Amino acid sequence: MKFKAGDTSPQGLRARIRAALGHEPCDIVLRGGHILDVFGGGFARGSLAVSGKSIVGSKEDYDGKVVIDCTGCFVVPGFVDAHVHVESSLATPFRFQQAVLPRGTTTALWDPHEIANVHGAAGIRWALACADMTALDLFILVPSCVPATHLETSGARLDAQALAEFREHPRVLGLAEFMNVPGVLDQDDDALAKLTGYAGFIRDGHAPQVTGKALNAYLCAGIHGCHESTEIAEAKGMHVLIREGSCAKDARTLLPLVDAFTSSVLGLCSDDRNPADIRAEGHIDHIIELGLAQGLAPELLFRVAAFGAARSYGLFDRGVLAPGYLADAVVVQQKVTGDWRAGFTVRDVLKAGKLVNADELARFADSHSRSVVPVAGRQNINMAPVDASNFAVRAGAVAPNALCRVIRVHEGKLLSDEERHLLPVREGMVQADPGRDMLKIAVCERHHGTGNVGVGFVAGFGLARGALAASIGHDCHNVTCVAADDRALVAAVNAVRELDGGIVAVDEHGAVLASLALPVGGLMSHDDPSVTADAIDELKRASRLLGCVLEEPYLLMSFMALPVIPALKITDRGLVDVAAFDFVPVVCEG
Amino acid sequence: MKFKAGDTSPQGLRARIRAALGHEPCDIVLRGGHILDVFGGGFARGSLAVSGKSIVGSKEDYDGKVVIDCTGCFVVPGFVDAHVHVESSLATPFRFQQAVLPRGTTTALWDPHEIANVHGAAGIRWALACADMTALDLFILVPSCVPATHLETSGARLDAQALAEFREHPRVLGLAEFMNVPGVLDQDDDALAKLTGYAGFIRDGHAPQVTGKALNAYLCAGIHGCHESTEIAEAKGMHVLIREGSCAKDARTLLPLVDAFTSSVLGLCSDDRNPADIRAEGHIDHIIELGLAQGLAPELLFRVAAFGAARSYGLFDRGVLAPGYLADAVVVQQKVTGDWRAGFTVRDVLKAGKLVNADELARFADSHSRSVVPVAGRQNINMAPVDASNFAVRAGAVAPNALCRVIRVHEGKLLSDEERHLLPVREGMVQADPGRDMLKIAVCERHHGTGNVGVGFVAGFGLARGALAASIGHDCHNVTCVAADDRALVAAVNAVRELDGGIVAVDEHGAVLASLALPVGGLMSHDDPSVTADAIDELKRASRLLGCVLEEPYLLMSFMALPVIPALKITDRGLVDVAAFDFVPVVCEG
């Protein structure tokens, strides 16, 4: 529990009291804006006065060392991202805050489960070390399912005992998205040990399409919230988080849940959102704008974005604009005066009493991002160079064609379908058939040098030539590649290897058209978020040049390696039928 | 923070999961009632299924070892008393739970500040020891102001260091009502040390009529909630608790604050409520009924009564009827079907999965109440017998009359006024004048044998003869007495002394008309709450027989000793002008 604290020394308290009494000037005064009353509802004209890290007045006027005229603006509490994998922004926490703090996100609840799949406990320790240095308040929910399944090879395994190390850390709120629903229902020892090990802490949920008595059983484990639920009544006492990521976009569907009654038990979250989308549309501010566009009242949306999420997760020191609370505040301006539907711009952000300055954040990241690394001196890619022999798919019988299982992808969905197609065979090996959009997909184990390579076929990318590859492949983050031919496949995987982690697009000659190095765990860049966003845009353009028809080919590729989401997926150990929770052969028998 | 826990062993979790899946019968099933959806709003027909201490289903039907038909009834989460001095029920915690559990109160936040004023840290330790034994969940907020002022003699003094002992106890949520507002505004060292010592914990408020920048300064101390506020906007981020005690009755005025938006940040509380009122009207259930009578929606009131208070104070394991939450539930029946305005009766109460049984509670209290005492072998009243000389008020000059300061009391108010009246003088001593309702009031120090006696005059009781006395006198709980003549005064004080604490009414001959022994600290009885309620009724009848015109003369008398509430009060050390925060003479100069 984090109740109101601020500077906890008697001197600090004395300074706040003197400022509040008007005996000394406040550090900052936001004067004359419309201030949100999170407890009572509505906006009221007044001044927000700040001393140190805390609010000391939310109504009366004060003298301030810095006075900011907020006439015509609205002052709301800093936004909370209630569930995020910072790694999915392709940025270190120092770069992530650079992208989101100026947009009003002052607190984020981080499940560092991508880096934990790569580096295990060391990855979580790195996340905690970074969190101690950022101005953005990063609280950690410890990844509960590393790896997600027994069907793949992750960089590390975290059992209940390994997770216990983090329980008492002041930034740790509990256990992150407990994806292992079958483990709970089957009363699996390790699953129950993880859950009971965090009894009395938050144990967050992840229960897409789980209903009825199975959901009841899952909730008996003390599950707290869920970013995969679609109805409050169906969530049965779980806090529903309204998500708008780069791939999973639920906000338009879920925002109608927001009303006066529910606004204190809902939160907003980004989950997985790339830097290009953050730059183009926004972060939590974007979800609020989506709600405003639907005609929802601003006082409800701003309440959900700050207070709803903060209180639901036990953060009692923020989310309210009143004396004694942390001075996390956002000054917003309607794009069209008098019309919230048209959205707003963030004019100023106060984080713990300090005005957020984009240049300062950039300088801080420049000097700090590289100084903290998850595992010193370790390469991200521990695998030998590949050649075409690694990706051969042997046909079962001597025939011009082979009937194969093919993964069918869909734009904007993490779900895939299983299809069966006849694919050409040459010299006993099944071939891709780009003319019919039948491509090869491969996952190469990159953590332990096992040489594991899973190879299959995929439809829906539309690549006419070349290949896309990345060291991002949920959740184990092996090197994942989609290719129109084997030469490009080999070149793309080896290019990712040579980058020591990153994302590439290569043409049919094996030439790299676009690339992004991700030196931190093969997941994150040290570069400025705008540089990374440019690189993402460039990679997308290159994919289109190769004939790709998807908006988010790299993200979608990365989720084809995640065997907890139906129907047909692929890991470094082979093709997985998710419903059967087991491997299946690429080439159908008989 | 108390997040959802229940039985934290893997075996316990396994049993809950098996019950939720329907693989084993549940322990109790409340079948077919209308179940409150605290997150989404409204009631929905379903079954509440319980295994062990936890809810395992809130919708689907289950087989149960015990099945209770709830057709036509409403099932709501157990009520929370968000601020109570159990001592004011004149009952030990074992007797208190007997009075309130069957009325649906399943959790109470106890500020044991009466017993702490008598026995200091030993009193708080006793409260914690009792709380470990009751079925009613008693959480402790540590008394922050013992004694309330420097103008009186308490049994103990608790400084910041003494309070620190309790901070990490699992039942301690923080610091109770911080009454020392001037201490905060003046930045008094001890006040600031107490507050910063509990940084990060709840620090509850007590700020009647504090507004503007003074309130801002007070809130800078991290103040959490307040049972003395009258407006949410004015409370500025404090949780407002709607109180209905025996003396302070705010509910009718404050209930209109309840709406869909506010229902998650408000709570209900009883503060000081005697057993006769609990028996006659109810406890938290009574406040809900007052709201229903005003036409407020039941889903809002039941939400405030459980979820609002629980969440506001960080109790995340209760207040919601959904799987994984503590099985605290109340089955209520409308008095008039279809008409909530007419109120409801509590038919069944589940506390942590067990059906509350009044007889069992009585037997438990019979066998346990006397086994835990705050301080073994110590008398409650440590003072010599008094005689008339202790109560003489010397007139300043030789005259038939003396102009005196007189405390004016008002029914139902803790506030008094200062009046000035000419009182008769005999043999140089000022006399009471019962014919004009001018009575003597005296406070006799009872903890340390100092012999301190404060004597003054009071108007408004209407006693024609005899005296009322008690070992309850807020907050120091010295022996307090109101008398029509000195003989009755002496007899009444000595009668309380002979009881070793209690309440008495004596006639003009010194004969005891009615009495109640309070062997626990001179504050609480071990007897059945109905016996205590009968004794209170008997004492009130006796007071009326003596001419008293007040409904609650003993309570009102006890608050005339509390020098933090205006205007003229009296302690063992003399008459106090509260505004001046200093002593004043009874007889006016010149």
Side-chain angles (χ1 to χ4, degrees):
Chain A
M1 196 95 72
K2 314 273 173 195
F3 286 107
K4 285 182 269 183
D7 178 349
T8 57
S9 71
Q11 295 83 336
L13 174 53
R14 186 167 279 124
R16 289 200 294 279
I17 292 170
R18 290 183 55 77
L21 289 171
H23 295 172
E24 275 170 24
C26 296
D27 291 323
I28 296 182
V29 175
L30 305 180
R31 183 171 286 163
H34 302 277
I35 298 176
L36 180 65
D37 179 356
V38 170
F39 271 34
F43 291 89
R45 202 143 187 278
S47 289
L48 195 79
V50 173
S51 172
K53 297 180 173 182
S54 301
I55 297 169
V56 300
S58 54
K59 183 178 168 188
E60 293 77 10
D61 197 28
Y62 283 92
D63 288 334
K65 296 171 194 165
V66 176
V67 175
I68 300 172
D69 182 15
C70 294
T71 307
C73 294
F74 295 80
V75 184
V76 297
F79 311 146
V80 177
D81 188 343
H83 174 71
V84 62
H85 307 287
V86 169
E87 302 95 313
S88 293
S89 73
L90 309 177
T92 64
F94 305 95
R95 295 303 184 185
F96 177 70
Q97 77 167 351
Q98 220 189 313
V100 304
L101 252 184
R103 308 206 69 127
T105 304
T106 52
T107 299
L109 276 54
W110 178 14
D111 170 10
H113 112 163
E114 320 305 348
I115 192 69
N117 266 283
V118 174
H119 286 314
I124 303 173
R125 282 183 216 114
W126 167 80
L128 287 164
C130 293
D132 277 343
M133 301 169 74
T134 54
L136 171 69
D137 265 322
L138 286 165
F139 292 100
I140 303 294
L141 286 112
V142 175
S144 63
C145 303
V146 175
T149 72
H150 61 284
L151 303 167
E152 55 198 322
T153 309
S154 57
R157 308 184 71 82
L158 293 175
D159 60 12
Q161 207 178 344
L163 298 183
E165 170 189 340
F166 303 101
R167 201 173 43 209
E168 304 301 330
H169 191 290
R171 287 197 175 276
V172 169
L173 301 182
L175 217 51
E177 49 178 2
F178 206 89
M179 299 187 289
N180 189 4
V181 180
V184 177
L185 303 187
D186 297 345
Q187 301 140 56
D188 172 82
D189 283 337
D190 186 55
L192 299 201
K194 283 175 175 173
L195 288 163
T196 53
Y198 272 79
F201 289 77
I202 286 168
R203 288 158 293 180
D204 229 7
H206 185 281
Q209 301 173 339
V210 182
T211 57
K213 290 188 176 180
L215 180 59
N216 292 354
Y218 179 64
L219 296 182
C220 282
I223 299 301
H224 187 79
C226 187
H227 51 280
E228 306 278 351
S229 297
T230 53
E231 281 181 43
I232 287 185
E234 194 48 55
K236 289 180 176 169
M238 280 193 293
H239 292 275
V240 174
L241 303 181
I242 299 173
R243 171 178 61 181
E244 188 77 359
S246 281
C247 225
K249 295 175 185 290
D250 303 328
R252 286 174 184 82
T253 311
L254 295 185
L255 280 162
L257 296 181
V258 175
D259 63 30
F261 198 87
T262 62
S263 56
S264 57
V265 297
L266 299 172
L268 309 180
C269 74
S270 71
D271 202 354
D272 299 285
R273 195 158 171 86
N274 73 41
D277 286 349
I278 295 173
R279 180 170 68 178
E281 298 177 329
H283 188 235
I284 300 302
D285 55 329
H286 173 57
I287 311 182
I288 300 168
E289 287 200 311
L290 291 176
L292 292 170
Q294 292 188 354
L296 287 167
E299 68 191 73
L300 298 182
L301 289 163
F302 287 120
R303 190 190 212 206
V304 170
F307 179 79
R311 283 301 174 101
S312 297
Y313 285 82
L315 303 172
F316 279 71
D317 59 345
R318 65 195 68 203
V320 182
L321 297 179
Y325 286 89
L326 196 60
D328 286 2
V330 187
V331 181
V332 307
Q333 212 154 15
Q334 294 173 314
K335 283 180 183 158
V336 176
T337 303
D339 181 11
W340 280 110
R341 278 180 184 265
F344 61 89
T345 52
V346 171
R347 203 193 70 177
D348 298 297
V349 178
L350 270 189
K351 173 59 207 173
K354 289 211 163 154
L355 271 172
V356 168
N357 178 305
D359 294 339
E360 260 176 38
L361 290 177
R363 280 196 299 275
F364 184 82
D366 288 347
S367 60
H368 285 75
S369 185
R370 285 179 177 77
S371 70
V372 198
V373 289
V375 177
R378 196 190 120 173
Q379 286 197 315
N380 293 314
I381 307 291
N382 178 17
M383 60 183 269
V386 292
D387 58 40
S389 70
N390 293 99
F391 303 105
V393 178
R394 187 168 298 278
V398 183
N401 294 304
L403 184 67
C404 294
R405 291 180 174 84
V406 175
I407 300 168
R408 164 66 65 182
V409 300
H410 305 281
E411 181 80 77
K413 279 192 184 172
L414 310 188
L415 294 148
S416 68
D417 289 325
E418 177 180 330
E419 293 182 353
R420 297 193 183 201
H421 293 280
L422 279 172
L423 295 181
V425 175
R426 207 158 57 224
E427 293 169 13
M429 302 298 168
V430 188
Q431 307 294 318
D433 189 356
R436 291 160 57 218
D437 190 20
M438 299 289 150
L439 309 177
K440 256 192 189 167
I441 183 166
V443 177
C444 310
E445 195 278 320
R446 70 151 160 122
H447 304 294
H448 308 287
T450 59
N452 287 355
V453 178
V455 188
F457 294 93
V458 68
F461 277 78
L463 272 191
R465 57 196 181 90
L468 315 176
S471 51
I472 301 172
H474 291 280
D475 287 339
C476 289
H477 300 301
N478 289 310
V479 176
T480 310
C481 184
V482 169
D485 67 79
D486 283 5
R487 178 197 274 193
L489 201 169
V490 168
V493 170
N494 282 335
V496 169
R497 181 180 170 278
E498 276 149 37
L499 280 174
D500 196 34
I503 309 177
V504 300
V506 305
D507 69 12
E508 65 275 28
H509 311 295
V512 174
L513 301 182
S515 73
L516 169 62
L518 298 171
V520 185
L523 301 170
M524 289 164 276
S525 165
H526 288 300
D527 286 338
D528 193 277
S530 68
V531 172
T532 309
D534 285 345
I536 289 291
D537 288 342
E538 190 55 42
L539 279 160
K540 286 186 190 175
R541 266 193 297 275
S543 76
R544 285 194 292 273
L545 208 68
L546 297 170
C548 185
V549 296
L550 296 171
E551 278 297 311
E552 291 285 353
Y554 303 94
L555 259 174
L556 210 59
M557 177 171 77
S558 74
F559 279 106
M560 289 309 111
L562 185 60
V564 297
I565 297 187
L568 191 64
K569 294 291 172 82
I570 187 164
T571 77
D572 65 301
R573 294 176 53 208
L575 204 61
V576 176
D577 177 331
V578 177
F581 216 47
D582 207 351
F583 296 109
V584 285
V586 176
V587 180
C588 301
E589 299 295 317
Chain B
M1 195 95 74
K2 314 274 171 192
F3 287 107
K4 286 183 270 184
D7 178 348
T8 57
S9 71
Q11 295 83 337
L13 174 52
R14 186 167 279 125
R16 289 201 293 280
I17 292 169
R18 291 184 55 76
L21 289 171
H23 295 173
E24 274 170 26
C26 296
D27 291 324
I28 296 182
V29 175
L30 305 180
R31 183 171 287 163
H34 302 278
I35 299 177
L36 180 65
D37 179 356
V38 170
F39 270 34
F43 291 88
R45 201 142 190 278
S47 289
L48 195 80
V50 173
S51 172
K53 297 179 173 181
S54 300
I55 297 169
V56 299
S58 54
K59 183 177 167 188
E60 294 78 10
D61 197 26
Y62 283 91
D63 287 333
K65 295 173 194 163
V66 176
V67 176
I68 299 173
D69 182 14
C70 293
T71 308
C73 293
F74 295 80
V75 185
V76 297
F79 311 145
V80 177
D81 188 343
H83 174 70
V84 61
H85 307 287
V86 169
E87 303 95 312
S88 293
S89 72
L90 309 177
T92 64
F94 306 96
R95 296 303 184 183
F96 177 69
Q97 77 166 350
Q98 221 189 314
V100 304
L101 251 183
R103 307 206 69 127
T105 305
T106 51
T107 299
L109 276 54
W110 179 13
D111 170 9
H113 111 164
E114 320 305 347
I115 193 69
N117 266 283
V118 174
H119 286 313
I124 302 173
R125 283 183 216 116
W126 167 80
L128 287 166
C130 293
D132 278 342
M133 300 170 73
T134 53
L136 172 70
D137 265 323
L138 286 165
F139 293 99
I140 303 295
L141 286 112
V142 175
S144 63
C145 303
V146 175
T149 72
H150 61 283
L151 303 167
E152 53 198 324
T153 309
S154 57
R157 308 186 69 82
L158 294 176
D159 60 13
Q161 207 178 345
L163 298 183
E165 170 189 339
F166 302 102
R167 201 173 43 210
E168 304 301 331
H169 191 289
R171 286 196 176 277
V172 169
L173 301 182
L175 217 51
E177 48 179 0
F178 206 88
M179 299 187 288
N180 190 4
V181 180
V184 177
L185 303 186
D186 297 345
Q187 303 140 54
D188 172 81
D189 284 338
D190 186 53
L192 299 201
K194 283 175 175 175
L195 288 162
T196 53
Y198 272 80
F201 291 76
I202 286 168
R203 288 157 292 180
D204 230 7
H206 185 282
Q209 301 175 338
V210 182
T211 57
K213 291 188 177 180
L215 180 59
N216 291 354
Y218 179 63
L219 296 182
C220 282
I223 299 300
H224 187 80
C226 187
H227 50 280
E228 307 279 351
S229 297
T230 53
E231 281 182 43
I232 287 185
E234 194 47 55
K236 290 179 176 170
M238 279 194 292
H239 292 274
V240 173
L241 302 181
I242 299 174
R243 171 178 61 181
E244 188 75 0
S246 282
C247 225
K249 295 176 186 290
D250 303 328
R252 286 175 185 81
T253 312
L254 295 185
L255 280 163
L257 296 181
V258 175
D259 62 31
F261 197 86
T262 62
S263 56
S264 57
V265 297
L266 299 171
L268 309 181
C269 75
S270 70
D271 203 354
D272 299 283
R273 194 158 172 87
N274 73 41
D277 286 350
I278 294 173
R279 181 171 66 178
E281 298 177 330
H283 189 235
I284 300 302
D285 55 329
H286 173 59
I287 310 180
I288 300 168
E289 287 200 311
L290 292 174
L292 292 170
Q294 292 187 354
L296 287 167
E299 68 192 72
L300 298 181
L301 290 163
F302 287 119
R303 191 191 210 204
V304 171
F307 179 79
R311 283 300 173 102
S312 297
Y313 284 82
L315 303 172
F316 279 70
D317 59 346
R318 64 196 68 204
V320 182
L321 297 180
Y325 285 88
L326 196 60
D328 286 1
V330 188
V331 181
V332 307
Q333 211 154 16
Q334 293 174 315
K335 283 179 184 160
V336 176
T337 303
D339 182 10
W340 280 109
R341 279 182 182 263
F344 62 87
T345 53
V346 171
R347 202 192 72 175
D348 300 296
V349 178
L350 270 188
K351 173 60 207 171
K354 288 211 163 153
L355 271 172
V356 168
N357 177 304
D359 294 338
E360 261 176 37
L361 291 176
R363 279 195 299 275
F364 184 81
D366 289 346
S367 60
H368 286 75
S369 185
R370 283 177 178 79
S371 70
V372 198
V373 289
V375 178
R378 197 190 119 174
Q379 285 197 314
N380 293 313
I381 308 291
N382 178 17
M383 61 183 269
V386 292
D387 60 39
S389 70
N390 292 98
F391 304 105
V393 178
R394 188 168 299 278
V398 183
N401 293 305
L403 185 66
C404 293
R405 292 179 174 84
V406 176
I407 300 168
R408 165 67 65 180
V409 300
H410 305 282
E411 181 80 77
K413 280 193 184 172
L414 310 187
L415 294 147
S416 69
D417 290 323
E418 177 180 329
E419 293 182 354
R420 296 191 183 201
H421 294 279
L422 279 171
L423 294 180
V425 176
R426 210 157 54 224
E427 292 169 12
M429 302 296 169
V430 188
Q431 307 293 318
D433 190 355
R436 290 163 56 217
D437 190 21
M438 299 288 151
L439 309 177
K440 256 192 189 166
I441 183 166
V443 176
C444 310
E445 195 278 319
R446 68 150 162 124
H447 304 293
H448 308 289
T450 59
N452 286 356
V453 176
V455 187
F457 294 93
V458 67
F461 278 78
L463 273 190
R465 57 196 180 90
L468 314 177
S471 51
I472 302 173
H474 291 280
D475 286 341
C476 289
H477 300 300
N478 289 311
V479 177
T480 310
C481 184
V482 169
D485 68 79
D486 284 5
R487 178 198 274 191
L489 202 168
V490 169
V493 170
N494 282 336
V496 168
R497 181 180 169 278
E498 277 148 36
L499 280 174
D500 196 36
I503 309 175
V504 300
V506 304
D507 70 11
E508 65 276 25
H509 309 295
V512 174
L513 300 182
S515 74
L516 168 62
L518 298 171
V520 185
L523 301 170
M524 289 164 276
S525 166
H526 287 300
D527 288 337
D528 193 278
S530 69
V531 171
T532 310
D534 286 344
I536 289 290
D537 287 342
E538 191 55 42
L539 280 160
K540 286 187 190 174
R541 266 194 295 276
S543 76
R544 286 194 293 272
L545 208 67
L546 297 170
C548 184
V549 296
L550 297 171
E551 277 297 311
E552 292 284 352
Y554 303 95
L555 260 175
L556 210 59
M557 179 172 75
S558 74
F559 280 106
M560 290 309 111
L562 184 61
V564 295
I565 298 187
L568 191 64
K569 294 291 173 82
I570 187 164
T571 77
D572 64 302
R573 295 175 53 208
L575 203 62
V576 175
D577 178 333
V578 177
F581 216 47
D582 207 350
F583 296 108
V584 286
V586 176
V587 180
C588 301
E589 298 296 317

